[in-house]
Structures are given as C-alpha cells and as structure tokens.
Amino acid sequence: QVQLVESGGGLVQAGGSLRLSCAASRSIFQFNAVRWYRQAPGKQRVWVAIITRGGTTNYADSVKGRFTISADNTENTVYLQMNSLKPEDTAVYYCNLPGSSVGYWGQGTQVTVSS
C-alpha cells in the first residue's frame, strides 16, 4: 500500500515550463517502475512517461523531447519536467505505481497551457 500525491500543476503559457512532483508515502524503490499519465477533459487517460528502477526512461511520442521523468529515491518523489508546453498538454496529470489490478494512483494535478 502506498499513497501518492501529485503537485506542481498550474496555468502556464505555451512554450513555458513546469515541473510536476509525485510524492509517495513510502519508498518507491520496491516498485519496478513509475509512470506518468494524463487525462484531458472528456478524454481517456493516456500514458505519458515511465522510469524504471534501473533508470531507463521512455516517453509517449507526443511529449518526447519535451518532457523528462526523473526520480529521487531519497525523497520518495518522482518528477516530470515539462518544457515547451503546448495547449494540447492541458490535462490532469497522474502518477502511477504498479500493483494489483490498476496499481496505485494519486489524485492528479491540473496543468493548463494557454495559447
């Protein structure tokens, strides 16, 4: 069992940057990977980025080259650095840890990118 809290969202202009945080209530080292997802208004939740315990990262094509996922095991926190933001990045962003069924999810943090 683990609780996740996303933070760092807000309103930014297109081309701007934002860093999201996902704070876990306990060590994330026990998990094989951490993923970021996002859900735009009226849309399905989609995968954005992943970081594995070994440090491997991968990204959805829509954010590749603009977003960077990282982890700080000391702080039990995973970050999503978002650069060159576009209006289509507007969504609620969630972090996820693998587990039974759908795993563990936070409540999300809203990111709004204005044109």
Side-chain angles (χ1 to χ4, degrees), residues 16-63:
S17 297
L18 200 63
R19 173 174 282 198
L20 306 183
S21 298
C22 172
S25 60
R26 59 190 65 199
S27 177
I28 59 176
F29 183 75
Q30 62 186 292
F31 298 95
N32 291 329
V34 181
R35 295 173 173 85
W36 280 97
Y37 290 77
R38 67 186 183 188
Q39 186 168 18
K43 304 294 185 180
Q44 295 283 311
R45 190 172 301 182
V46 298
W47 170 77
V48 174
I50 182 173
I51 183 167
T52 70
R53 181 157 52 193
T56 300
T57 60
N58 203 3
Y59 305 89
D61 289 341
S62 59
V63 306

